[in-house]
Amino acid sequence: MKVNSDWNKELGVTFTIQDPCQIVRKGFGDAVADDLRFVIESVVGKENVIEMTPNKSNNYCCGGGGGFLQSGHTEERRQYGKIKFNQIMATGADYCITGCHNCHAQVHDIGHHFGGAFSTVHIWTLICLSLGILGPNERAYLGDDLKEVNVFHPETAL
Amino acid sequence: MPESSITIKGKKNSSFIDTVKEIIPEGGNLNLCLTCGACVSGCPATGLADMDPRKFLRMCAMGLDEEVTTTPWVWMCTMCQRCVYVCPMKIDIPQLVYNARATWPRDKRPSGIRNSCDMALRNDSNSAMGTAPDDFIFVVQDVLEEYRESQPEFKDMVAPIDKQGAHFFLNQNSREPVTEPDELVPLWKILHLAGVDWTYGSKGWAAENYCLFLADNDSWEHVTRVSANQANQLGNKVFLNTE
Ligand code: SF4
Ligand code: SF4
């Protein structure tokens, strides 16, 4: 079984990537950011990836890290995240892929708070979607456009 | 010999920045700032709490200890290191921030972060939600059972806990087992299809470490050691953190 992006050929759903500071800039550098792109492009199609600027090691933090999410400084956290929100909106992508739980929670929150139309999704969801093994109850973070696509065992929907 | 001589007062008493310089590698280059402002213009925390990274560094350098160890800004810098990345002198401002956090009395640090750390210290899970090892094991087994039945293509899928000698020791953010268990499954499926030999630990399974964010050194070391010891005891080769 191998991932492919055929499911997205017609649909043309677009994705941007939030490089997690912890994994990329503070961790394994641009090499791991390139690996991440290899996986994402294989899964959703290269032509459907729209990069944020700046990205990889020069990426802006989303504002979810360092305990900010739990610090009680909610207004400041969202102000911090507004820059990230603008960067995501500038791509026009339908989805923002986050490879870290803090990023996921923060990007999801600023998306809602500032009224963005994009969804925030884990990479594991997309890999399984592309393999045709993503069940109906494993789609909490997919938008309506993908809720019904390639559903594995649709009869198990809750 | 003149009767009195002018004594030049020696170096000022050790200040906050001097203490930090002693404990971080290369002194964090904290003396080398060119005041160029590259850090400020690329920091998303610039302007919050009337502070920015260069200003914070300059205030430290000027020995304004009272101000730098009380500004709430240290809880708004995420220690993302973008300032270090763009700084021509590679000055470690986030380390300064971390150590400023550590000067706060523990009971004055943000309660949300403190409570999450205290939860992790309650049992051997390390979970910021306080979830006990038994509850984690129950959820994992329950969800696994359900999916093996309802998606028979995955009837042989596994989610081992404390598997001796497994190659990978995998951590899991508490959010999945506690609030959205179905989200555990896609990762298990991928590992299954890829033929990966992995395990969770009954101890130290939770991936988050709020004690680190709290700048509570003893506690974050404790939390980290619980995980590391478990992986060592199981003889796992690679520690995988999903955070
Ligand atoms: S980027 Fe570096 S040298 Fe420039 S002001 Fe900031 S800390 Fe100083
Ligand atoms: S580590 Fe802190 S000061 Fe440096 S860029 Fe990130 S938020 Fe700004």
Side-chain angles (χ1 to χ4, degrees), chain A residues 1 21 23 25-26 54 57-61 63-68 70-71 73 76 79-80 83 99-102 104-105 122 124-125 127-128 131 133-135 137-141 152-153 155-156, chain B residues 41-45 47-49 72 75-82 85-86 101 110-113 116 147 150-154 172-173 175-176 180 182-183 185-187 189-190 193 210 213 242-243:
Chain A
M1 234 171 167
C21 308
I23 305 171
R25 180 168 49 252
K26 299 170 72 175
S57 295
N58 198 22
N59 173 52
Y60 274 61
C61 173
F68 213 168
Q70 305 276 6
S71 70
H73 298 294
E76 288 87 352
Q79 211 178 314
Y80 185 121
I83 300 176
C100 154
H101 271 83
N102 281 324
H104 186 273
H122 297 292
W124 60 53
T125 307
I127 294 176
C128 287
L131 288 168
I133 55 167
L134 190 70
N137 308 321
E138 302 153 57
R139 299 180 176 235
Y141 295 104
F152 189 57
H153 286 284
E155 76 287 355
T156 59
Chain B
S41 59
C43 165
L48 301 179
W75 304 100
M76 299 169 191
C77 155
T78 60
M79 301 182 283
C80 73
Q81 291 186 8
R82 191 169 191 276
Y85 187 75
V86 299
R101 288 186 182 195
S111 59
I113 304 177
S116 294
Y147 274 86
S150 66
Q151 301 181 357
E153 292 85 343
F154 287 92
Q172 185 76 52
N173 186 289
R175 208 169 93 190
E176 279 88 36
E180 41 188 27
D182 289 306
E183 285 291 317
V185 181
L187 182 56
K189 288 179 175 173
I190 296 163
L193 292 178
Y210 278 90
F213 300 150
T242 59
E243 266 299 277

Side-chain angles (χ1 to χ4, degrees), chain A residues 5 8-9 12-15 41 44-50:
Chain A
S5 57
N8 201 19
K9 285 252 150 63
V13 177
T14 51
F15 297 82
E41 287 169 5
V44 306
K46 194 176 170 49
E47 64 284 8
N48 297 312
V49 176
I50 308 168

Side-chain angles (χ1 to χ4, degrees), chain B residues 32-40 54 57 83 86-91 93:
Chain B
L32 304 183
C33 178
L34 312 167
T35 68
C36 68
C39 52
V40 182
R54 177 177 57 181
L57 177 66
C83 52
V86 299
C87 173
M89 306 310 289
K90 294 288 164 258
I91 295 175
I93 292 170

Side-chain angles (χ1 to χ4, degrees), chain A residues 43-106:
Chain A
V43 165
V44 306
K46 194 176 170 49
E47 64 284 8
N48 297 312
V49 176
I50 308 168
E51 289 284 359
M52 249 184 265
T53 312
N55 56 30
K56 300 185 185 175
S57 295
N58 198 22
N59 173 52
Y60 274 61
C61 173
C62 64
F68 213 168
L69 280 161
Q70 305 276 6
S71 70
H73 298 294
T74 309
E75 202 184 302
E76 288 87 352
R77 173 174 59 74
R78 286 181 172 145
Q79 211 178 314
Y80 185 121
K82 184 69 177 16
I83 300 176
K84 180 55 55 183
F85 175 81
N86 292 343
Q87 289 175 357
I88 297 171
M89 292 303 282
T91 68
D94 302 313
Y95 284 80
C96 180
I97 300 171
T98 51
C100 154
H101 271 83
N102 281 324
C103 301
H104 186 273
Q106 168 75 346

